[in-house]
Amino acid sequence: MPSYDRPNTDMDAAAGNQASSSSPPAEGTHDGRQVTEAALFEAFGGIRGMVETVVPGLLFVAIYTVNKDLHTSAIAALAVSLVLTAARLVRKDTVKHAFSGIFGVAFGVVFAMMTGNAKDFYLPGMVYTLGLALAYILTTVAGIPLIGLILGPVFKENLSWRTRNPGRKKAYAKASWAWGLILLAKSAILFPLYWWADTTHLGWVLVGLKIPPFLLAVYLTYVFLSKAPAPIDVFAEMEAKEKAEEEAKRQRAAEREAAERH
């Protein structure tokens, strides 16, 4: 899943301001929405992430539509994915999602080359989408919604939402259900096409379904989380605890030193 590349500094400052008050005023609510938006940028990607997700598949189906050449289409898709990753490396941007995109394209290329069926270029990604949909649903049923595991570290709350923030856990559960059902609906469209449609039809439908379901899921996640309680900054808590322990040690040392003098 792609992620946004907005710098973390603004998000970190906003998160600190948000966590400092248990009953934030109207301005705090606005800050909370900004924190949520920034976290979604961090976790799910931005415009560039969407481009990196769409372009390789779009290039594959466009070339295949014209010349019906599996090898040319596959090599072009892999090449553009490598170029996009190289551009991130040159700019020293986050590359984790670009690398995941390369692996996804590479799996599709290898699988299609092995079978000789151009439609198999899309099959690994389709299986991944279905597996991800099931993961969202099953983890939510188990009480540990996947979206919370993904976003917890971004919000600096880790797993504190599971036991200490029930309102936030409920929001994560709603968001995970949204992701799971949206991806299941996408899979329900694509798998029949894999069996019944030709490569070009499947490819164009898949390209068309890349962004809209993703944006819908991200929007619903934003809605649920922006109305949820503020995240508990466990990193700040650990830092405060460490500082308190250090201060206590210094105080005990000072008391012992004073006692020895007397």
Side-chain angles (χ1 to χ4, degrees):
M1 200 169 11
S3 80
Y4 289 113
D5 299 307
R6 180 177 293 181
N8 293 333
T9 52
D10 294 339
M11 184 185 70
D12 293 347
N17 292 336
Q18 184 186 24
S20 64
S21 173
S22 58
S23 302
E27 183 178 353
T29 302
H30 178 67
D31 288 343
R33 290 175 180 173
Q34 288 182 329
V35 171
T36 300
E37 180 183 352
L40 294 179
F41 269 89
E42 167 69 16
F44 295 125
I47 298 300
R48 185 182 303 173
M50 287 188 282
V51 169
E52 291 170 346
T53 300
V54 172
V55 168
L58 176 61
L59 189 61
F60 178 90
V61 70
I63 294 175
Y64 191 83
T65 299
V66 173
N67 62 16
K68 306 299 182 184
D69 188 326
L70 168 60
H71 291 78
T72 302
S73 304
I75 292 172
L78 185 58
V80 74
S81 186
L82 288 169
V83 168
L84 292 171
T85 301
R88 280 187 178 268
L89 289 171
V90 170
R91 294 169 58 92
K92 297 182 179 180
D93 292 333
T94 303
V95 296
K96 57 183 179 180
H97 298 289
F99 277 127
S100 67
I102 284 181
F103 289 132
V105 173
F107 275 121
V109 168
V110 170
F111 197 59
M113 294 288 193
M114 289 175 60
T115 64
N117 185 352
K119 284 196 292 186
D120 288 340
F121 173 78
Y122 303 109
L123 189 58
M126 292 167 55
V127 172
Y128 173 78
T129 297
L130 178 59
L132 192 59
L134 295 176
Y136 276 117
I137 291 173
L138 293 176
T139 55
T140 304
V141 171
I144 45 172
L146 180 58
I147 200 71
L149 300 178
I150 295 171
L151 292 181
V154 179
F155 280 112
K156 299 183 178 181
E157 60 182 336
N158 284 351
L159 295 178
S160 63
W161 50 268
R162 288 198 63 201
T163 55
R164 300 172 57 190
N165 206 337
R168 199 153 181 87
K169 180 179 179 180
K170 185 177 180 181
Y172 280 139
K174 290 180 179 179
S176 287
W177 275 115
W179 278 94
L181 294 177
I182 288 170
L183 294 180
L184 270 184
K186 181 178 176 180
S187 297
I189 295 171
L190 293 177
F191 275 97
L193 288 176
Y194 174 80
W195 296 109
W196 300 329
D198 59 29
T199 301
T200 54
H201 290 154
L202 172 63
W204 287 114
V205 170
L206 195 147
V207 168
L209 288 177
K210 277 284 186 181
I211 300 303
F214 171 77
L215 291 180
L216 176 59
V218 170
Y219 172 73
L220 291 175
T221 302
Y222 170 78
V223 170
F224 295 140
L225 292 183
S226 62
K227 296 179 180 179
I232 299 171
D233 191 338
V234 295
F235 296 125
E237 288 183 345
M238 288 188 290
E239 290 176 359
K241 183 179 179 181
E242 289 176 358
K243 288 181 180 179
E245 290 175 352
E246 290 176 0
E247 181 62 28
K249 287 180 181 179
R250 284 195 294 267
Q251 186 174 357
R252 287 194 297 269
E255 290 174 354
R256 285 197 302 268
E257 192 174 317
E260 290 173 358
R261 289 176 181 174
H262 293 294

